[in-house]
Each structure stands twice: as structure tokens, then as C-alpha cells.
Amino acid sequence: MAKNIFLSRLLPEAGMELLKQSEFNVDIHWDDDPLPPEVFRKRVRNVNGLICLLDDIINFELIDAAPQLEVISNTAVGFNNIDINYAKSKGIAVCNTPEILTQTTAELAWALLFAIARRIPESDTFMRNGKFTGWKPLLMLGGNIQGKTLGVIGAGRIGTAFALMSKGFNMRVLYSGKSNPVLDFELNAENVDLQILLRESDFVSLHVPFRDSNYHLIGKDELALMKQTAYLINTARGSVVDEMALITTLQEKRIAGAGLDVYEHEPALSPGLTELENVVLTPHTGSATIETRDTLAVMAVENCLNILRGKNCENRVV
Ligand code: DGY
């Protein structure tokens, strides 16, 4: 009997095509919003393969609702939305989409860095509101980037790509976590303690995955270590930062600004965040380029198809 795949949301066309051409029965939630948990549980009852997104909560209840499940294929590199230990205990494969979004996400981190340091969204609003009355010596002053100190928290794939992109800006590069020979060799980067990184960096960018030990890695005390002229960039996961502590820090102008793509209670934003001028916000679009999202969709579908066909899948997390 043909196996069944459930796709929890619409994917870019390239992924949809591949799925349609497969030998499997495919059920699709033709919507842009996540399914309510009770509906989701019903939809996976007879499913062998699940292709899901990073905001689908794949907990033990969902997994128990799908007794035939063989594979959960996440259309993301992060997989903190999935109870991977429970999946593993049930013999279910979990796959992700690494590598292909590395450069794209690193580029967005830089876009946020530029946007906040040079006050781009604020300037754009100013122009659209007809406030530009001529060149002024003190208008929209931001912070220099070249020659400054860049602090990279988590020098894995994306953190490394992000740091390497600093080459043209002659920056001192600090990073925390495991030693990284590429950064040491290419940038003469310094592997330092988190506290030193926070104290000495002009730009702090987060690139750690979310796991319990990274919950509120950056809280009130860590923010207090940062320079008043420094900026925080987060394209990793919202819960790595204590969002309320960040809002207070920004309200009191104890750091210069923040560029955020991810939020602690996504898609909800903590009260006060959108009222701040010293913050630039994007809607979790780290991987959102046409090229990358196409490749991402194809990879997520291929991961699922490979497992269901009993083939090797190199993107297995468990
Ligand atoms: C991921 O794939 O985990 C990223 O957060 C997408 O932007």
C-alpha cells in the first residue's frame, strides 16, 4: 500500500512539484498559518512522512497521534520545535536542512547590522514622511562599522560565514564557544569568554542553536556588560535572549540598538518592542531569499522521500 505524506504548509513550487511527482499519497494543509494542535493530530493519523515548518510544534502528543510515522522532515536548519528524543525513542527519523541557508542567514545578520547602525528604516520613514529639509550635520548619526570589534556568539556554520563576511571591514573579531581554526586563520580571530566578548564588542551577533542551556543566554546581566555604543543582532532563536530585559535595556539606552529577526514568543512580540526607535525588526526571514527557499523546500521533500524509500539521508538529526 502506498505510503502517506502530510505537508503542514505550502512550500515554494520546486518542493511542491517534487512531492507531486512522487509515488506517495500527499495531503497538504493549503494555508499559510500553522494548524491548531487538535486538527494537526487528526491530519497525521495515517501518515508515514511529515514535512513541517519551524513553527509547527512536534511534541510527544503529535508524535503519538501518528503511529505509522517514519520521518519528520523539518524545513529549517533549527529543530527546537521537535521533541527529537521522543522521536528517536519511537524509531522515527528527524531531518533538517543544513548548509543551504548558511550564507543567506549570515547576509541577513549583516543587513540588520547595517540597518541598525546606519539607521536605515528610521531614515526611510523620515523621508516618506516628508521630513527631509536638507543636509544637516547631526541628522541620523549612526555608528561606524569598519575598524570596530565584532563579537560572534556561536561560531558554527552560520556564525563562521557571518564572521568571514567582515573581511572587507577590517574588524577585530572575537568569538565565544568552541575554537574555530578557520576564523583563527582567516581573521586572526580571538576565542574569548562570553563576558569578555560582551564587554569588548561593538557588534554582538548571536548564532547559537536553541537548546535548554541557551535559554536566556543573553539576559539582564549580560546586556549590562555591553558597551553603551554597542549593538545586538539576533538571527538565531528568540529565546536565546531575555526579550523583556532587552526592551528595558533599549528603553534606557544602555546599548545603542538591536537588530532582531527572531522573537521569544514568536509570532507575538513582547510589549514595548515595536515602540522603540533603536531597534530594527524583521519577521524571521533569515533564509528568505527566492533561491534559498526553493532549495530548502526541495531538500526537505527529498529528505522525507529518501527515508520513506529506505534510502540513506545525510541530513538526519536522529
Ligand atoms: C532555520 O532554518 O532554522 C532558520 O531560522 C530559518 O530562518
Side-chain angles (χ1 to χ4, degrees), residues 54 75-78 97 101 105 235-237 261-262 284-287 293:
L54 53 80
T75 316
V77 63
T97 55
L101 47 70
T105 307
T235 53
R237 282 292 181 265
D261 185 48
V262 287
H284 202 148
T285 45
S287 65
R293 285 283 167 90

Side-chain angles (χ1 to χ4, degrees), residues 163-197:
L164 290 174
M165 287 175 189
S166 72
K167 266 190 175 175
F169 298 103
N170 192 28
M171 299 174 96
R172 176 184 176 216
V173 177
L174 308 179
Y175 68 97
S176 63
K178 277 197 295 209
S179 125
N180 183 319
V182 175
L183 295 189
D184 297 349
F185 178 76
E186 294 282 339
L187 301 172
N188 209 11
E190 299 156 55
N191 186 359
V192 295
D193 282 350
L194 181 61
Q195 278 75 9
I196 296 177
L197 183 148

Side-chain angles (χ1 to χ4, degrees), residues 22-307:
S22 82
E23 68 276 33
F24 302 113
N25 302 319
V26 181
D27 177 23
I28 300 168
H29 170 52
W30 294 97
D31 203 343
D32 227 12
D33 291 321
L35 279 168
E38 61 287 359
V39 184
F40 205 155
R41 286 199 290 272
K42 282 192 190 136
R43 293 287 283 269
V44 295
R45 231 174 358 212
N46 300 315
V47 153
N48 305 87
L50 168 62
I51 303 172
C52 55
L53 272 70
L54 53 80
D55 56 353
D56 291 321
I57 307 300
I58 313 298
N59 53 17
F60 77 92
E61 287 165 309
L62 194 285
I63 293 172
D64 279 348
Q68 298 171 30
L69 198 57
E70 294 171 51
V71 53
I72 302 167
S73 178
N74 214 29
T75 316
V77 63
F79 45 84
N80 55 300
N81 55 315
I82 302 171
D83 187 339
I84 57 164
N85 292 327
Y86 194 65
K88 190 176 173 192
S89 76
K90 295 272 168 183
I92 299 167
V94 177
C95 309
N96 72 340
T97 55
E99 306 288 354
I100 46 178
L101 47 70
T102 298
Q103 297 290 325
T104 312
T105 307
E107 284 174 11
L108 186 80
W110 275 100
L112 286 170
L113 189 155
F114 277 107
I116 187 65
R118 299 304 303 270
R119 302 172 65 175
I120 306 291
E122 215 183 319
S123 298
D124 183 75
T125 306
F126 179 87
M127 296 303 288
R128 289 170 197 268
N129 290 341
K131 291 194 177 157
F132 184 43
T133 55
W135 191 90
K136 304 257 184 324
L138 300 180
L139 182 62
M140 291 291 168
L141 300 185
N144 261 354
I145 294 164
Q146 55 90 18
K148 294 284 181 71
T149 299
L150 185 67
V152 181
I153 301 182
R157 280 187 292 250
I158 299 174
T160 301
F162 171 79
L164 290 174
M165 287 175 189
S166 72
K167 266 190 175 175
F169 298 103
N170 192 28
M171 299 174 96
R172 176 184 176 216
V173 177
L174 308 179
Y175 68 97
S176 63
K178 277 197 295 209
S179 125
N180 183 319
V182 175
L183 295 189
D184 297 349
F185 178 76
E186 294 282 339
L187 301 172
N188 209 11
E190 299 156 55
N191 186 359
V192 295
D193 282 350
L194 181 61
Q195 278 75 9
I196 296 177
L197 183 148
L198 291 166
R199 267 196 207 102
E200 297 190 8
S201 298
D202 299 295
F203 298 95
V204 173
S205 191
L206 289 160
H207 299 283
V208 288
F210 182 74
R211 51 173 83 102
D212 290 348
S213 56
N214 286 337
Y215 176 72
H216 286 188
L217 180 70
I218 304 298
K220 184 168 167 274
D221 295 345
E222 289 72 26
L223 290 164
L225 295 175
M226 288 176 67
K227 297 181 189 177
Q228 203 174 3
T229 49
Y231 299 88
L232 181 75
I233 309 297
N234 190 7
T235 53
R237 282 292 181 265
S239 304
V240 172
V241 176
D242 178 345
E243 202 163 278
M244 279 316 296
L246 176 63
I247 291 170
T248 309
T249 303
L250 290 165
Q251 280 165 340
E252 295 173 358
K253 299 201 167 28
R254 284 190 272 112
I255 64 171
L260 307 176
D261 185 48
V262 287
Y263 307 91
E264 190 169 351
H265 309 289
E266 218 168 290
L269 303 183
S270 297
L273 190 60
T274 53
E275 279 92 75
L276 293 166
E277 273 194 343
N278 49 354
V279 72
V280 174
L281 310 173
T282 51
H284 202 148
T285 45
S287 65
T289 63
I290 295 165
E291 300 90 330
T292 297
R293 285 283 167 90
D294 269 353
T295 322
L296 203 73
V298 168
M299 188 183 261
V301 171
E302 273 174 349
N303 288 342
C304 178
L305 297 181
N306 281 339
I307 298 283

